[in-house]
Amino acid sequence: MNGISSTASRSSLQSLPDAPQPQPTGADSPQPAPSPSTPGNSQTLTRMARDARPPLAGQQQAAAADAKGAATGASQLNIDDKGHVQHERVLLKTAAGRETISPKIERKEMPEVNGLVIHQTDSPTVSSTLNSYALKGANGAHFLIDKDGTIYQTASLKRKTNHVGPLRSRCAQEKSCSPEETELNEKFNPTKENQRESKKPAGERFPSNSDSIGIELVGMSYKAKSHQETSNLDGSFNFLITTTDGKTLKYENLSADVASRMREEIKESKLRKKYYIFEQVTTQQNESLQWLTQQLRREYSIPESEVFAHPTVSRKTGSEALTAQWR
């Protein structure tokens, strides 16, 4: 979610996909994957896996997850000297001819990329998101995926953007903090928590504005009033949420884990004055997200443990990107 969207003011997961990937064309023939020790990549594939909510536990399980999730093959993105992707699946203009690279959300040079953060926009369309990116002092992410799966690049991959916000404690989520840091975290001071996290090296903290690529999925959020749910034979769940403004949000085939978290989000939205529920990510968006995530992981040698939904790394509405699937 970009820093100037309405939800930003309101509140303040993965092995590679099994589906066949698009075949390279032209000069995009596969090349051997870069080694995890490639200069500029400070990650290793043997440390504890740090997955999206909920975190994995156990050294053996973590090591196996990272090994399984290591990106293989060569990226097809063909990034030029401006940091712009040259690939038929990544557009730099809308159908109406509007350029999507948004200089006002770009910040200082980003010398290395250590992770990916997945967002939802809390805006209804690509156009409305780009309009917000054009405002003075705007914040935003590097890519924007429309509901039909169209991928747009919105910022140079050589530049930072403000898309993460204050960092949450990674060791607290992974239950690996020292007693001293646990005591500090329990005082619940998000500003100081962010300051402590920002001083840590990549891998010991979550990816931040300084070293991560942001991917936005077009999607609105709403205040929940009531809901109904049904279960499917395969063990998945469906939800119908009625919003306070009379809309009906439909969620289909949610896993038991996602459904459990959705119930908590609905409860929070009913109880808290400014707490909202994001609509379900579309199938087309998830297919494009899986492809883009795979390509970026290959390009920057990013292990799967360094891809997160926005609420995992920062204090955001918990349903943001909850239904996003990049594994």
Side-chain angles (χ1 to χ4, degrees), residues 3 16 27 57 62 64 95 106 121 127 190-191 211 226-227 230 232 251 259 276 286-287 314:
L16 295 175
E106 296 178 341
T121 60
S127 179
T191 298
D211 66 346
S226 63
H227 86 285
T230 58
N232 302 315
Y251 303 78
Y276 298 79
N286 275 328
E287 289 173 348
S314 190

Side-chain angles (χ1 to χ4, degrees), residues 36 61 75 109 119 121 128 131 191 225 249 256 262 277 287 321:
Q61 184 182 17
S75 164
E109 182 180 355
H119 309 255
T121 60
S128 61
N131 287 343
T191 298
K225 181 179 180 180
L249 305 181
M262 180 62 75
I277 301 296
E287 289 173 348

Side-chain angles (χ1 to χ4, degrees), residues 8 36 43 54 65 84 96 101 103 110 163 178 192 264 272 285 294:
Q43 308 303 321
H84 298 168
I101 295 294
M110 182 164 61
H163 65 99
S178 66
K192 291 186 177 181
E264 293 299 318
R272 294 169 58 179
Q285 283 177 313
Q294 181 191 55

Side-chain angles (χ1 to χ4, degrees), residues 134-192:
L135 298 175
K136 183 179 180 180
N139 296 323
H142 296 84
F143 293 95
L144 177 64
I145 303 180
D146 202 356
K147 289 187 175 183
D148 65 1
T150 304
I151 304 171
Y152 299 97
Q153 185 176 359
T154 49
S156 168
L157 295 178
K158 295 182 181 291
R159 293 283 173 180
K160 304 174 187 177
T161 70
N162 292 337
H163 65 99
V164 174
L167 293 177
R168 300 178 68 182
S169 170
R170 185 164 187 167
C171 68
Q173 292 193 49
E174 297 176 348
K175 304 185 186 309
S176 61
C177 293
S178 66
E180 294 78 13
E181 190 161 6
T182 297
E183 184 177 353
L184 290 172
N185 289 335
E186 288 175 347
K187 294 180 180 179
F188 192 73
N189 187 322
T191 298
K192 291 186 177 181

Side-chain angles (χ1 to χ4, degrees), residues 279-295:
E279 59 188 333
Q280 185 171 21
V281 175
T282 70
T283 299
Q284 296 93 325
Q285 283 177 313
N286 275 328
E287 289 173 348
S288 293
L289 177 62
Q290 289 168 6
W291 178 83
L292 180 59
T293 299
Q294 181 191 55
Q295 297 305 319

